[in-house]
């Protein structure tokens, strides 16, 4: 009987794993080493997810097994690329404080805390910086632009999803989300070509128009997947 893989069912996390990495790879230049870095990044995410589940105290032996399996896979991919570009270790070090925040909230069994989400977004965006550095061998302005674009987008997604699910009855969150999405457009217009705001318009519209509507979690997820694909396509052809 085949062993069932432990795979997170979080479309938002998968989008954060892939989009900053690929956008940064396009902006900084791709190499064959990006395959190793991405696979290591992929298994490192699975390792941290398994470890967080392990900390929550249920089925510890089961999650411990997956921590070891995924950690070994991550090492097998990250060590070669780390030898090729040893300065990538600095990006890993930069992630540690944000990962510690995630561990804190996991221990408190409060992974839905807003600060926990923000810390995760920072971690994934730092992964994007590592991807850029691997191709360009330094961090140009483009690297930080992609970082900001990605961070702004995913922070908006976090606020929107909270207003639709966990905080749907919290009027304060509604105004946080609406004001943030409005300000976000101005920030995007200031740091790059004005037309880049097109990539964010679906985010703004769905935050304003869909709030208060009774949508299932599946429908919200599908909308977010479509929104992420749109955002990615616009950005990948503009950087």
């Amino acid at each position: 009987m085949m062993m069932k893989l432990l795979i997170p069912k979080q479309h938002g996390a998968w989008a954060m794993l892939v989009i900053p990495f690929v956008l940064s790879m396009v902006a900084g230049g791709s190499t064959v080493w990006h395959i190793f870095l991405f696979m290591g990044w992929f298994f490192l995410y699975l390792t941290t997810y398994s470890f967080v589940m392990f900390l929550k105290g249920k089925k510890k032996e089961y999650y411990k097994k997956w921590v070891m399996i995924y950690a070994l896979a991550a090492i097998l991919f990250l060590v070669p690329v780390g030898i090729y570009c040893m300065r990538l270790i600095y990006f890993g070090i930069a992630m540690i404080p944000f990962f510690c925040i995630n561990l804190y909230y996991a221990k408190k069994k409060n992974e839905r805390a807003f600060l926990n989400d923000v810390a995760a977004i920072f971690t994934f965006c730092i992964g994007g910086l590592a991807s850029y550095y691997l191709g360009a061998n330094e961090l140009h302005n483009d690297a930080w632009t992609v970082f900001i674009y990605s961070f702004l987008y995913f922070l908006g997604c976090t606020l929107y999803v909270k207003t639709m699910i966990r905080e749907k009855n919290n009027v304060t969150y509604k105004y946080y989300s609406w004001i943030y999405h409005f300000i976000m457009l101005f920030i995007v217009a200031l740091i790059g070509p004005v037309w880049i705001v097109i990539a964010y318009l679906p985010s703004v519209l769905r935050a304003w128009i869909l709030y208060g509507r009774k949508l299932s979690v599946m429908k919200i997820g599908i909308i977010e997947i479509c929104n992420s694909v749109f955002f990615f396509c616009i950005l990948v052809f503009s950087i």
Side-chain angles (χ1 to χ4, degrees):
M1 184 176 178
M2 293 184 63
M3 181 170 56
K4 186 178 179 180
L5 294 175
L6 175 62
I7 301 293
K9 297 178 180 179
Q10 301 170 334
H11 73 273
W14 289 114
M16 286 189 279
L17 180 82
V18 174
I19 290 177
F21 187 98
V22 176
L23 289 178
S24 298
M25 181 183 71
V26 173
S30 60
T31 74
V32 68
W33 287 105
H34 274 95
I35 299 174
F36 287 84
L37 183 60
F38 180 76
M39 293 306 299
W41 183 225
F42 171 75
F43 283 114
L44 184 61
Y45 165 61
L46 293 180
T47 302
T48 57
Y49 173 78
S50 302
F51 186 65
V52 166
M53 297 302 292
F54 170 80
L55 284 180
K56 294 175 74 171
K58 295 181 180 180
K59 300 192 292 185
K60 281 189 173 293
E61 288 302 315
Y62 173 76
Y63 290 116
K64 180 181 178 180
K65 174 188 69 176
W66 283 109
V67 170
M68 296 173 65
I69 292 173
Y70 287 141
L72 177 60
I75 290 170
L76 289 175
F77 284 103
L78 291 177
V79 167
V81 72
I83 293 173
Y84 170 75
C85 183
M86 296 189 68
R87 290 188 175 181
L88 289 176
I89 187 66
Y90 294 123
F91 296 95
I93 293 172
M95 295 177 185
I96 292 175
F98 301 106
F99 181 57
C100 288
I101 293 174
N102 295 146
L103 292 182
Y104 169 80
Y105 282 107
K107 265 305 223 184
K108 294 290 185 179
K109 296 183 180 180
N110 187 22
E111 295 96 324
R112 301 296 180 181
F114 180 69
L115 181 58
N116 187 53
D117 293 330
V118 173
I121 296 170
F122 267 112
T123 301
F124 285 117
C125 290
I126 292 172
L129 290 178
S131 175
Y132 185 98
Y133 187 87
L134 182 61
N137 206 33
E138 59 182 307
L139 296 179
H140 302 114
N141 289 338
D142 287 347
W144 296 105
T145 300
V146 172
F147 180 98
I148 295 171
Y149 281 155
S150 299
F151 182 84
L152 289 174
Y153 171 75
F154 287 113
L155 184 58
C157 291
T158 298
L159 284 169
Y160 165 71
V161 171
K162 284 190 178 297
T163 63
M164 297 298 289
I165 303 176
R166 297 285 176 175
E167 303 290 345
K168 62 183 178 181
N169 296 319
N170 189 334
V171 178
T172 302
Y173 256 98
K174 176 187 75 171
Y175 289 116
Y176 283 158
S177 177
W178 285 4
I179 293 171
Y180 171 80
H181 281 85
F182 181 74
I183 295 174
M184 179 180 69
L185 292 181
F186 285 96
I187 297 174
V188 171
L190 286 174
I191 65 175
V194 175
W195 63 268
I196 293 292
V197 299
I198 294 173
Y200 296 83
L201 287 179
S203 296
V204 175
L205 293 175
R206 63 97 160 87
W208 292 350
I209 296 174
L210 297 184
Y211 176 78
R213 295 178 181 269
K214 294 183 179 180
L215 300 176
S216 67
V217 173
M218 179 177 291
K219 287 183 179 179
I220 293 171
I222 292 172
I223 291 170
E224 287 305 281
I225 291 171
C226 294
N227 190 30
S228 294
V229 171
F230 179 82
F231 171 81
F232 175 79
C233 290
I234 296 295
L235 265 294
V236 80
F237 286 112
S238 64
I239 57 178

